[in-house]
Amino acid sequence: MMKKGVLSIMVILGLSMLLVACSQSASGEEKFNAGTYEGVSTGHGGEVIATVTLTKDEIASIDIAAEGETESIGEGASAQVIASIINSQSLAVDAVSGATTSSEAIIEAVTLALEEAGADIDALKDPANKIEVATEQQEDLDVDVVVIGSGGAGMAAAVEAKAAGKSVVILEKMPILGGNTNRATGGMNAAETSVQADLGIEDSKTIFYEDTMSGGKEINNPDLVQTLVDHASESVDWINGLGADLSDVVIFGGQSVPRTHRPADGSPVGPVVVEVLSNKLKKEEVQILLETTAVKLLEEDGEIKGVEATDKQNHSFTVLAKSVVLATGGFGANSEMVVEYNENFEGFSTTNHKGALGSGIKMAEAVGADLTDIAEIQAHPTTDPETGYMFTEAVRGDGGILINQEGQRFIDELETRDVVSKAILEKSGSVAFLVANDAMREKNASLAKYIEHGYGVEGDTFEDLAKAMHVDAKTLTQTMKQYASYVANGSDEAYGRDNLAEAFEEGKYYAIPVTPSVHHTMGGLRIDTKARVLNKDGAPIKGLYAAGEVTGGIHGANRLGGNAIADILTFGRIAGMTAASEIE
Ligand code: ADP
């Protein structure tokens, strides 16, 4: 079972870095009141509690407990921020890129603990008092397999390559592990799984194949889809075997049968996947270099021999490798590249982390890799109009409906993402409301979090809700009552929605404004079923493998919700296995 919600990280002074100065105050006076102090702040997912231990000269240790903080992001941020504070003996430290809210909450909680200790906060916040830290330059490496990118695909590949007895190193350009996988909320699709069998859900790989092809508008690569549906069920057992607990199954848009596997409490799937894989990599002692960017693939006589990279200090170094696995994710956060390939997305926000820039695609193109479906870019229909923050499709799967500014439904909410996005963009202001109630909030931890964080408006009755939404109360009430009658009759006469999970007979009611944002880039490197990267003649480029969002062909013109985690774990594992087995 997973240990949920609690982060507890101790960093002891001077363990990882070389201090070039001593922290004792120049006057020789005692700098701190020795003892242990506590400070509490609010993070992304609730309270962040810092327990800070001081000697008379130093901040000796910091322990962070963050119930409800997104585990992998929070943990990465905790480790980095704590190391920075302790090593520099200063509060003038930077937030960790990609985990700003968590970092700021940790710094705030530590500051409050130091205030409690009566420390001189102004002096600690003054950058002039920081202890400078020297970091050694990364030396060149020589390994069997180098994996570029530490999202779900990269981590799965690394686990399998290591299991095959190979030496493995992961390069990750961000300061935290997990990439966009940290943000995956919904779940993982698979058919004919042991979990579905336990729940009495009858599904088949054939229907999974057909749903995926039809969701992708039949332009998907049939062989890749077949490989996905054949092995996704093993991937569920594999990730559960590593400690995830994907034991609940729900239905997402485009599915004929419920097949999206998610944590039992309905919490986001991505952080769970990242946590169990990073624990496994730690256990297997796989080397991971953070803040390390792959810049160029090394090629000799048409064969890939490794990668040129830059370390934390921007020094260049080389990783010689017999196999290179590209798992760098998509390009959703690179608005120039998005518009270059598809001008319909001009001006769109994105749900992606800021490392999703498409560098893997560029690096592979430079050694002759072929691209497929590159203009196929998906918007996620339900994201915050200001920030692009995504509200999982599981809210609709659990019964959520969409209402326009006129107080009316306008679509089968479980249509595929492209169809729902298009329908919202046609509405006034390109904004609709995602409507839910307390019964749904109880079974969906993600929804509970959105409400807790103040997204959207609420009301005890439809009239109250309409007022808060600034829509006509009569129309909204009529829409909701009519929908309740569809649910009672088991037939949505207006839009033909099959899954009618909630009648909205009881409040409290919630309405979250939503608009589409760039979410997934379906196109990318052309690969074969063994995850070998193909050149423009359709032949494998020796020594180069790829998996996850950096590749194209699996999702065709539209990825179904829940198919990304299925893809990254299934093809990530295949890439790791092939990369290991093809080493001569
Ligand atoms: P996937 O879902 O396919 O696994 P993710 O977006 O979750 O993709 O993860 C991709 C990871 O690759 C991200 O953590 C990203 O920061 C990292 N990455 C992207 N480009 C590079 C690069 N050039 N060097 C090192 N890491 C990279």
Side-chain angles (χ1 to χ4, degrees):
M1 287 287 288
M2 292 260 314
K3 183 174 133 271
K4 294 209 70 72
V6 179
L7 305 170
S8 186
I9 298 154
M10 277 285 219
V11 177
I12 305 298
L13 179 67
L15 265 188
S16 59
M17 292 187 174
L18 179 69
L19 300 183
V20 293
C22 167
S23 65
Q24 202 151 2
S25 66
S27 62
E29 282 167 20
E30 290 187 4
K31 192 169 170 189
F32 296 117
N33 296 318
T36 298
Y37 304 89
E38 203 174 273
V40 183
S41 68
T42 306
H44 218 282
E47 264 187 1
V48 173
I49 304 167
T51 307
V52 179
T53 302
L54 304 174
T55 67
K56 62 186 175 38
D57 308 313
E58 285 161 352
I59 304 171
S61 73
I62 298 171
D63 186 52
I64 298 291
E67 185 74 45
E69 199 69 358
T70 304
E71 284 114 3
S72 45
I73 295 181
E75 184 168 352
S78 285
Q80 292 264 332
V81 173
I82 293 170
S84 302
I85 295 175
I86 292 182
N87 290 321
S88 68
Q89 291 291 301
S90 168
L91 290 171
V93 295
D94 293 329
V96 175
S97 166
T100 314
T101 312
S102 294
S103 309
E104 284 170 355
I106 292 164
I107 297 168
E108 169 79 7
V110 173
T111 305
L112 292 170
L114 286 162
E115 238 171 56
E116 178 72 23
D120 183 346
I121 302 296
D122 287 342
L124 285 165
K125 281 191 171 164
D126 185 347
N129 297 330
K130 260 178 110 164
I131 293 170
E132 287 307 321
V133 174
T135 315
E136 279 174 32
Q137 184 174 345
Q138 175 61 48
E139 58 189 25
D140 291 344
L141 298 171
D142 190 345
V143 293
D144 292 326
V145 180
V146 57
V147 176
I148 307 174
S150 73
M155 288 203 277
V159 169
E160 289 294 0
K162 180 73 183 179
K166 303 301 174 194
S167 58
V168 181
V169 62
I170 300 180
L171 311 184
E172 169 54 57
K173 72 176 178 183
M174 302 298 282
I176 55 172
L177 291 174
N180 259 346
T181 306
N182 283 315
R183 299 182 173 212
T185 46
M188 170 175 183
N189 292 348
E192 298 183 34
T193 67
S194 51
V195 182
Q196 284 176 316
D198 288 346
L199 296 170
I201 298 169
E202 271 184 46
D203 193 5
S204 81
K205 290 180 178 172
T206 312
I207 308 176
F208 183 16
Y209 176 91
E210 283 163 5
D211 285 348
T212 302
M213 291 297 290
S214 115
K217 305 201 176 101
E218 310 287 340
I219 69 159
N220 325 45
N221 177 317
D223 296 335
L224 295 179
V225 176
Q226 193 62 54
T227 305
L228 176 76
V229 307
D230 283 346
H231 297 285
S233 137
E234 287 155 38
S235 303
V236 169
D237 289 339
W238 184 74
I239 198 75
N240 280 345
L242 289 177
D245 176 27
L246 308 187
S247 57
D248 187 25
V249 178
V250 283
I251 189 160
F252 270 23
Q255 290 174 10
S256 309
V257 179
R259 69 168 69 94
T260 304
H261 297 63
R262 67 175 182 182
D265 65 353
S267 62
V269 70
V272 173
V273 165
V274 171
E275 191 186 6
V276 299
L277 288 176
S278 56
N279 286 344
K280 177 70 177 167
L281 292 167
K282 251 182 243 165
K283 191 167 153 220
E284 299 299 331
E285 297 179 355
V286 171
Q287 189 178 12
I288 302 176
L289 302 178
L290 293 175
E291 292 179 82
T292 302
T293 306
V295 287
K296 191 177 163 203
L297 296 171
L298 303 174
E299 184 197 16
E300 225 178 87
D301 302 329
E303 205 173 308
I304 302 305
K305 298 285 189 183
V307 57
E308 198 181 295
T310 55
D311 70 8
K312 289 183 186 181
Q313 315 293 315
N314 218 16
H315 297 129
S316 291
F317 71 102
T318 301
V319 185
L320 292 180
K322 299 182 182 74
S323 296
V324 175
V325 177
L326 278 169
T328 46
F331 56 95
N334 185 339
S335 49
E336 263 174 40
M337 206 165 155
V338 164
V339 176
E340 176 193 333
Y341 290 125
N342 191 330
E343 57 191 27
N344 295 335
F345 290 94
E346 175 85 58
F348 267 56
S349 177
T350 183
T351 61
N352 285 204
H353 84 129
K354 64 183 191 189
L357 299 176
S359 64
I361 293 176
K362 298 285 178 207
M363 280 189 279
E365 265 192 303
V367 296
D370 195 18
L371 304 184
T372 183
D373 302 339
I374 199 70
E376 302 299 345
I377 293 168
Q378 178 181 70
H380 191 290
T382 58
T383 74
D384 181 52
E386 271 162 35
T387 60
Y389 182 78
M390 183 186 72
F391 307 113
T392 174
E393 192 164 330
V395 175
R396 281 171 285 142
D398 282 338
I401 60 172
L402 290 168
I403 298 289
N404 63 19
Q405 312 274 338
E406 285 71 47
Q408 295 152 333
R409 275 181 78 222
F410 53 93
I411 187 131
D412 167 1
E413 291 81 359
L414 289 175
E415 262 292 359
T416 50
R417 290 175 172 178
D418 54 336
V419 175
V420 179
S421 294
K422 189 160 173 280
I424 296 175
L425 288 172
E426 284 163 0
K427 297 289 148 296
S428 342
S430 301
V431 171
F433 291 97
L434 177 60
V435 172
N437 69 355
D438 268 337
M440 293 170 54
R441 172 189 174 148
E442 268 160 39
K443 63 181 169 193
N444 190 313
S446 299
L447 172 62
K449 196 176 77 181
Y450 308 149
I451 294 167
E452 192 187 318
H453 286 202
Y455 286 105
V457 294
E458 58 187 59
D460 288 327
T461 61
F462 295 139
E463 287 75 19
D464 290 349
L465 186 69
K467 218 170 174 188
M469 291 163 74
H470 302 293
V471 305
D472 181 61
K474 249 195 186 150
T475 316
L476 181 71
T477 307
Q478 198 185 346
T479 303
M480 298 307 287
K481 294 219 158 119
Q482 185 157 49
Y483 185 70
S485 76
Y486 297 158
V487 177
N489 298 335
S491 164
D492 172 11
E493 280 161 36
Y495 298 103
R497 172 175 170 154
D498 287 332
N499 166 286
L500 300 165
E502 181 53 51
F504 298 97
E505 272 159 350
E506 276 179 40
K508 187 185 245 176
Y509 303 107
Y510 304 92
I512 304 175
V514 292
T515 195
S517 287
V518 168
H519 184 51
H520 193 95
T521 48
M522 272 82 63
L525 305 177
R526 188 186 293 279
I527 55 166
D528 66 10
T529 57
K530 298 263 186 222
R532 295 181 284 221
V533 176
L534 303 179
N535 66 18
K536 296 196 165 44
D537 300 323
I541 298 175
K542 206 154 189 276
L544 188 60
Y545 309 87
E549 200 174 338
V550 70
T551 69
I554 295 159
H555 308 291
N558 177 57
R559 176 176 68 76
L560 293 183
N563 267 0
I565 298 283
D567 170 11
I568 62 178
L569 294 186
T570 303
F571 280 94
R573 295 183 67 202
I574 292 173
M577 289 189 249
T578 316
S581 70
E582 292 197 341
I583 292 174
E584 281 151 11

